[in-house]
Structures are given as structure tokens and as C-alpha cells.
Amino acid sequence: DVKVTQSSRYLVKRTGEKVFLECVQDMDHENMFWYRQDPGLGLRLIYFSYDVKMKEKGDIPEGYSVSREKKERFSLILESASTNQTSMYLCASSFRRQRANTGELFFGEGSRLTVL
Amino acid sequence: AQSVTQLGSHVSVSEGALVLLRCNYSSSVPPYLFWYVQYPNQGLQLLLKYTSAATLVKGINGFEAEFKKSETSFHLTKPSAHMSDAAEYFCAVSHAGGTSYGKLTFGQGTILTVHP
């Protein structure tokens, strides 16, 4: 089975702190994604990466950065956390469509971040 | 740009009744379409996907969806609801081309409640 593992299920941080959210996948996927989930807004794409050291902005990149030093690992960084970044963060991965399939995403279980 | 609209943020049915969750999309190219389910405190799990083969797609747990190009719709149905179907459901459309392969745009989500 495909497994996408997010390092922390629940985090509580203070305003201004630097926050790292880690994600690891074990299926050799080229693509990795970070989404933010808020009630009534669905999932919104923050950043994605289609290869090591490559990244592209999604729909809401402000206040976030990412790092992909290894194929299996994709990190989301909040340089200075703010209360409006309190949310559920979901990591996902997939093959490139040319190689395999239709773009189906495989998700981790999510990291619920609270910023006080 | 592609987008997805889910009609109804909350749907409530009785156990054994028909489930109908509505999804409309906009896309400038033939889309790939997905339905995902999210149980409480979990990540998203793929229910089914449309990939330009059969227009009626069968998924897991007795769900199915029909792609109707003329209506730009991809509604999710299940003939008889079960208590275990209570969850949040997301419709998503896949982007095409280049490094955007695998990037999904999600709807706002529909919370399904099943009453005994």
C-alpha cells in the first residue's frame, strides 16, 4: 500500500514561531503537494514539487515555504507562524501522469496546527 | 482555469435512502475527475475517478458517479445509505499538461450525515 506519513498529527505553536511540517512517501512518487484544509473552503494548494529541489507556488503560498532535498520527503515551513495559519495541513503525492495514471493523489492523515 | 463547485455544504439522509452529492466542474480541456472521502481526523481516500473511459464510474463502498459532459457534472450517488457513509466528500478536477500533472483543484466539500 502507498503510504504518506506526516510527522505530527497535532501541533500547538505560538505566534512568531518557526514551524516545520514534514511529509514522507514510500512509493517513489515524483510529485508531492501541500494543501491546507479549512471548513467551507475545501482544500487549497499551498505548494507542490514535481522533482527534487523543484517547487511551484500553488494558490495560497504567502507565508509559507517548502523544501524538497530528497525525492521521498517534502517539508512545509512557516517562517513566522500567525493565528490565521491555524488549520489542517494535508500532504499528498502522486506519479507524473505520463508515467502512470491519471493524477490520483495519495494523502497523509493530516497535521492539525493551532497557532496561539 | 479549472474549478469545481459542490452544491450543498451539508446533506442529510436517512439510513437506506438514496445518497446524491452534486459536483459541477469547469475545464477548458477534457478533465479527469475524482471523488474523495474524508472520515473524521483522517486524510482523504479515493472513492472513484473518471479518466475518459466509461462515463459511469463505479467506486468503493457502493458509490458510483456519472460523467455528463453536456451538463459539466459528475454527481456521486449511492442507492442505499449506511451509517458508516457519514463523512465529508470532496470532488476534484485534474489539471493537464506540463509539470502540473497530478495537481488537483478541489471543491468546497459536502458533509454527509446519515440518520438512523
Side-chain angles (χ1 to χ4, degrees):
Chain A
D1 278 354
V2 173
K3 194 161 182 66
V4 179
T5 303
Q6 295 184 228
S7 56
S8 303
R9 293 294 308 276
Y10 301 94
L11 303 93
V12 179
K13 298 291 182 181
R14 297 207 174 272
T15 301
E17 280 192 85
K18 190 169 186 175
V19 181
F20 292 88
L21 299 179
E22 304 283 340
C23 176
V24 177
Q25 51 92 7
D26 64 0
M27 278 300 292
D28 201 34
H29 287 164
E30 294 88 356
N31 298 332
M32 295 189 76
F33 306 82
W34 276 106
Y35 284 90
R36 171 176 172 161
Q37 181 181 10
D38 298 287
L41 298 178
L43 278 72
R44 294 177 291 168
L45 183 63
I46 304 172
Y47 268 98
F48 70 101
S49 169
Y50 52 89
D51 203 346
V52 176
K53 297 191 184 294
M54 305 303 290
K55 62 184 179 184
E56 286 196 18
K57 294 180 180 179
D59 301 317
I60 53 164
E62 296 78 18
Y64 303 95
S65 62
V66 291
S67 172
R68 188 143 181 226
E69 297 296 319
K70 294 184 178 182
K71 189 176 185 179
E72 68 272 17
R73 187 178 299 269
F74 192 37
S75 302
L76 180 69
I77 304 155
L78 288 67
E79 293 289 342
S80 178
S82 63
T83 55
N84 62 13
Q85 292 179 309
T86 292
S87 187
M88 171 72 91
Y89 292 89
L90 291 166
C91 176
S93 67
S94 73
F95 289 118
R96 284 196 197 135
R97 191 182 296 163
Q98 309 100 308
R99 178 179 165 182
N101 52 33
T102 54
E104 174 188 348
L105 297 188
F106 296 86
F107 283 86
E109 293 201 326
S111 298
R112 186 168 293 282
L113 172 66
T114 301
V115 182
L116 302 175
Chain B
Q2 292 163 303
S3 66
V4 174
T5 301
Q6 291 182 238
L7 301 174
S9 58
H10 290 80
V11 170
S12 181
V13 301
S14 298
E15 192 173 20
L18 171 71
V19 176
L20 171 60
L21 305 182
R22 299 177 188 273
C23 172
N24 288 89
Y25 70 91
S26 67
S27 175
S28 58
V29 297
Y32 288 169
L33 293 160
F34 305 80
W35 275 101
Y36 282 83
V37 60
Q38 185 181 33
Y39 300 104
N41 298 315
Q42 295 187 23
L44 275 68
Q45 175 184 357
L46 183 70
L47 267 181
L48 49 80
K49 59 185 177 184
Y50 166 74
T51 60
S52 74
T55 56
L56 183 62
V57 181
K58 295 189 183 299
I60 62 172
N61 300 338
F63 284 93
E64 63 183 35
E66 185 172 9
F67 173 70
K68 291 187 177 180
K69 184 178 179 180
S70 61
E71 298 177 8
T72 61
S73 68
F74 190 57
H75 300 332
L76 181 71
T77 60
K78 182 174 180 177
S80 177
H82 192 274
M83 297 294 290
S84 61
D85 295 327
E88 188 163 15
Y89 292 80
F90 293 93
C91 183
V93 62
S94 177
H95 294 238
T99 57
S100 295
Y101 280 7
K103 190 169 77 168
L104 298 188
T105 297
F106 286 84
Q108 305 92 319
T110 299
I111 295 172
L112 176 66
T113 302
V114 182
H115 296 289

